[in-house]
Amino acid sequence: MKQWWRWMVLCIAILAVAGCGGTKSDAPQSATWKVGTNATFVPFEYTDESHQLNGFDIELFNAIAKKAGMKVEYKNISFDGLIPALGTKQIDAVISGMTITKARTEKVDFSFPYYQSGLGVLTKDGTAVEDLSELSGKKVAVQLGTTGAEKASEISNIELRSFDNNSEALLELTKGGVDAVIADLPVLQYYLTTKKDSVAKLSVIESKDPEYFGIAVKKGNKEVKDKINSALKELKKDGTLDALYQKYFNQDAPTMPEK
Ligand code: ARG
């Protein structure tokens, strides 16, 4: 009987120690930023052959987090779900080739711009498009919730096909399901050079009206925004941003308006 008690006490002691070990959760944990992106936007964000997130935005954000001493956990979600996810705090930031627009700045705050973009039209049959009204009567593919989709909706009498993912919109053009795609120029450019489509042609629209990509945070989240901005400044200073630009766009990082 005595033996039995001894074992009991020993077991309780072991459990207590193990239990103490288990309460380590109040020890400081390494802080992690949850970052939302829609990885269908080559070369900014995409999933590579080994199913890893990759691209200019991903490498840029990794560098930002490193400077800020943070870890990153990416969430690959639909583009039109990114801003709502910031609102519900599912994520702390968005990097997704997201244009700083007036409508969006009412809902979220943006970092300094880090990339200058603009819209373009890619036509399947090689027709040059000078004015968007020329797309009237045509089938046009766009990605849902993007500035390209917004532009397309202003054209009267087009057959608009909206896709959740940018890659699906481009695929529809390849398959001949639509006549044109309206999207960001660098993405269309990249598609054209890698697909080597001999007929498709890219036309620049809105060239006088540049779009700037920014990193979005929840409205009022000054802490994260400030950390991102100072990291961006440091990355510009120490040459990391130039190196990234060289890798993806064969040029140094241009000077961006700080707005
Ligand atoms: N720049 C455009 C916008 O902000 C398109 C961005 C799409 N990004 C993406 N990762 N699919 O509306």
Side-chain angles (χ1 to χ4, degrees):
M1 200 54 154
K2 264 212 174 128
Q3 207 65 350
W4 184 83
W5 270 108
R6 247 189 224 157
W7 279 112
M8 187 76 168
V9 168
L10 193 66
C11 281
I12 288 169
I14 287 170
L15 281 177
V17 169
C20 281
T23 58
K24 275 241 173 73
S25 58
D26 33 289
Q29 284 187 335
S30 67
T32 302
W33 273 333
K34 290 196 194 107
V35 178
T37 193
N38 174 252
T40 68
F41 207 58
V42 200
F44 294 92
E45 46 267 327
Y46 56 93
T47 39
D48 62 23
E49 312 79 48
S50 48
H51 308 288
Q52 295 295 309
L53 276 189
N54 215 332
F56 177 83
D57 281 353
I58 306 300
E59 288 201 53
L60 175 60
F61 205 93
N62 287 344
I64 288 171
K66 201 171 166 205
K67 282 267 183 237
M70 300 289 293
K71 284 188 179 164
V72 197
E73 189 189 313
Y74 290 100
K75 304 227 179 262
N76 189 6
I77 48 187
S78 69
F79 188 76
D80 66 343
L82 290 168
I83 287 181
L86 272 180
T88 56
K89 290 186 175 172
Q90 274 170 273
I91 49 174
D92 304 295
V94 166
I95 191 156
S96 198
M98 187 176 271
T99 305
I100 304 170
T101 65
K102 222 174 146 219
R104 286 175 185 153
T105 29
E106 275 160 24
K107 296 183 194 152
V108 295
D109 288 337
F110 281 99
S111 69
F112 295 139
Y114 64 88
Y115 185 86
Q116 182 183 328
S117 187
L119 292 177
V121 186
L122 190 63
T123 52
K124 176 74 186 148
D125 63 1
T127 324
V129 175
E130 262 160 45
D131 193 276
L132 283 177
S133 61
E134 291 160 31
L135 291 173
S136 191
K138 299 261 164 78
K139 287 185 205 139
V140 178
V142 292
Q143 181 180 20
L144 210 63
T146 59
T147 47
E150 201 183 308
K151 247 300 130 272
S153 70
E154 292 166 10
I155 310 165
S156 62
N157 190 34
I158 59 161
E159 206 179 300
L160 196 57
R161 306 272 308 277
S162 306
F163 294 87
D164 278 339
N165 294 318
N166 186 66
S167 43
E168 291 164 350
L170 286 167
L171 191 66
E172 197 61 21
L173 187 80
T174 312
K175 289 198 295 194
V178 289
D179 305 298
V181 171
I182 303 180
D184 290 68
L185 268 169
V187 171
L188 296 178
Q189 185 75 61
Y190 194 89
Y191 171 82
L192 203 53
T193 46
T194 51
K195 286 283 176 236
K196 300 201 172 47
D197 193 321
S198 52
V199 190
K201 188 184 166 82
L202 182 60
S203 307
V204 181
I205 52 167
E206 302 287 301
S207 53
K208 282 179 240 111
D209 209 0
E211 295 191 6
Y212 293 96
F213 292 171
I215 298 164
V217 298
K218 188 173 158 51
K219 196 137 208 68
N221 193 348
K222 202 174 168 322
E223 192 197 326
V224 175
K225 189 180 95 174
D226 288 351
K227 280 186 184 161
I228 290 172
N229 276 343
S230 46
L232 269 174
K233 276 191 184 169
E234 283 178 49
L235 293 170
K236 172 76 186 150
K237 244 189 247 157
D238 73 10
T240 309
L241 194 64
D242 284 334
L244 264 180
Y245 259 82
Q246 284 293 349
K247 176 173 174 187
Y248 285 90
F249 310 113
N250 300 313
Q251 61 167 98
D252 274 351
T255 310
M256 292 283 147
E258 284 195 3
K259 45 180 181 180

